[in-house]
């Protein structure tokens, strides 16, 4: 049975684990990014009106996930934006993605935490059955 792409949080001592699921690594990466956003605020509260492109490269999917999430953290911090929609394509170690979002509106978004970065802790991208799982712990 094929499961729909989705995301979830998992418990970790001091920080927060994020895990994305999907039928492809790219969809799992997109869902991991959504899980990271959901640690900050409700993703549905973000108006996806501004597109930000990303191009990253790493032959190791684990490190590509780490680079992807940290690139998002960097863009959120420097642009003072939140992202609520993601399209990711991965081919031959190249990630091309677009994240859509808007400037932080504290009253509307009510950010709970600030994500400082993705870490190597529990970093893993693997296929389990017909699902890809992309996960790591983020420093909040």
């Amino acid at each position: 049975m094929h499961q729909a792409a989705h995301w979830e949080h998992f418990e970790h001592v001091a920080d927060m684990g994020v895990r994305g699921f999907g039928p492809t690594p790219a969809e799992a990466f997109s869902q991991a990014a959504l899980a990271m956003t959901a640690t900050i605020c409700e993703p549905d509260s973000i108006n996806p009106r501004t597109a930000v492109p990303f191009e990253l490269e790493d032959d190791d999917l684990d490190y590509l996930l780490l680079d992807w999430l940290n690139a998002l953290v960097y863009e959120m911090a420097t642009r003072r934006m939140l992202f609520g929609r993601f399209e990711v394509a991965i081919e031959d170690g190249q990630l091309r993605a677009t994240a859509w979002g808007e400037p932080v509106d504290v009253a509307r978004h009510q950010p709970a935490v600030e994500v400082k970065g993705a870490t190597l802790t529990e970093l893993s991208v693997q296929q389990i059955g017909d699902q890809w799982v992309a996960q790591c712990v983020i420093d909040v």
Side-chain angles (χ1 to χ4, degrees):
M1 185 171 130
H2 182 69
Q3 282 190 326
H6 64 285
W7 60 266
E8 70 183 17
H9 294 143
F10 63 93
E11 293 299 318
H12 189 263
V13 180
D15 297 318
M16 176 65 73
V18 294
R19 186 178 287 142
F21 300 86
T24 64
E27 190 63 36
F29 276 45
S30 175
Q31 293 298 312
L34 200 56
M36 186 170 71
T37 295
T39 65
I40 302 165
C41 71
E42 174 56 52
D44 290 341
S45 73
I46 301 168
N47 181 356
R49 65 177 188 236
T50 302
V52 176
F54 294 82
E55 287 193 29
L56 303 165
E57 190 172 346
D58 199 310
D59 289 330
D60 185 309
L61 278 177
D62 289 358
Y63 289 108
L64 192 58
L65 174 65
L66 188 72
D67 292 346
W68 161 237
L69 295 177
N70 280 323
L72 285 168
V73 169
Y74 175 81
E75 293 298 331
M76 285 189 298
T78 59
R79 295 173 184 263
R80 293 184 173 91
M81 285 181 69
L82 291 171
F83 298 109
R85 186 172 150 237
F86 308 92
E87 271 184 23
V88 179
I90 300 171
E91 190 174 326
D92 299 326
Q94 299 234 349
L95 177 146
R96 285 186 166 71
T98 304
W100 286 270
E102 67 176 331
V104 176
D105 178 335
V106 174
R108 187 160 44 85
H109 297 132
Q110 299 180 346
V113 297
E114 179 183 345
V115 175
K116 297 179 189 102
T119 71
L120 293 170
T121 305
E122 299 195 44
L123 177 64
S124 169
V125 177
Q126 61 183 325
Q127 188 170 15
I128 300 173
D130 66 349
Q131 283 278 15
W132 280 88
V133 181
Q135 72 173 36
C136 74
V137 170
I138 57 173
D139 185 10
V140 293

